[in-house]
Amino acid sequence: MEIKIKDLEKVTNVLLKHLRKRKIKTIKVEHDFYWDFLPGERYEILKNPSKLGAGQLTDDWDNLSDLLTGEKDPLLYDFVWLASILNYIGETMYEMEGIE
């Protein structure tokens, strides 16, 4: 599979517009810590993970917020932090409201 950056951008914009259409302007983060697989183990589906790691949404957002202020240049690892935030939004919004 190959994903074109322009298509990824379009899908992201469609999903953000969906939130706006539902009048959702902020995301309340009620659970800060989360379980995560260690790097490299997430896609080794035939092996059991050796151990779980932990992450923190406030740390993830703090790292991403520096992009908004221009305090740092983007890093490819920023996608990992963004993915954690997006996972939280998708999982909690669906769970709380049954949003489709």
Side-chain angles (χ1 to χ4, degrees):
M1 170 175 72
E2 290 186 1
I3 300 171
K4 295 177 183 172
I5 300 302
K6 68 178 183 173
D7 291 341
L8 181 61
E9 182 178 25
K10 186 174 181 179
V11 166
T12 303
N13 287 331
V14 166
L15 291 172
L16 292 173
K17 283 181 186 178
H18 182 66
L19 290 177
R20 285 189 202 101
K21 183 179 179 182
R22 298 187 66 84
K23 308 287 188 217
I24 298 169
K25 295 181 181 181
T26 60
I27 305 298
K28 185 175 182 177
V29 178
E30 295 180 358
H31 304 282
D32 194 15
F33 294 93
Y34 58 90
W35 290 111
D36 200 7
F37 294 105
L38 296 178
E41 293 191 344
R42 179 181 310 275
Y43 305 104
E44 294 290 334
I45 198 72
L46 298 178
K47 292 188 214 174
N48 286 329
S50 59
K51 64 180 181 175
L52 290 174
Q56 188 173 6
L57 292 169
T58 51
D59 283 347
D60 297 341
W61 185 248
D62 285 344
N63 286 310
L64 293 170
S65 296
D66 292 340
L67 295 173
L68 296 173
T69 61
E71 291 181 38
K72 74 167 197 159
D73 292 328
L75 304 170
L76 289 175
Y77 200 82
D78 290 336
F79 283 104
V80 174
W81 293 319
L82 179 59
S84 298
I85 299 294
L86 294 175
N87 277 331
Y88 183 83
I89 292 169
E91 291 170 359
T92 58
M93 297 299 275
Y94 181 81
E95 193 174 284
M96 287 173 19
E97 299 182 28
I99 294 176
E100 299 176 8

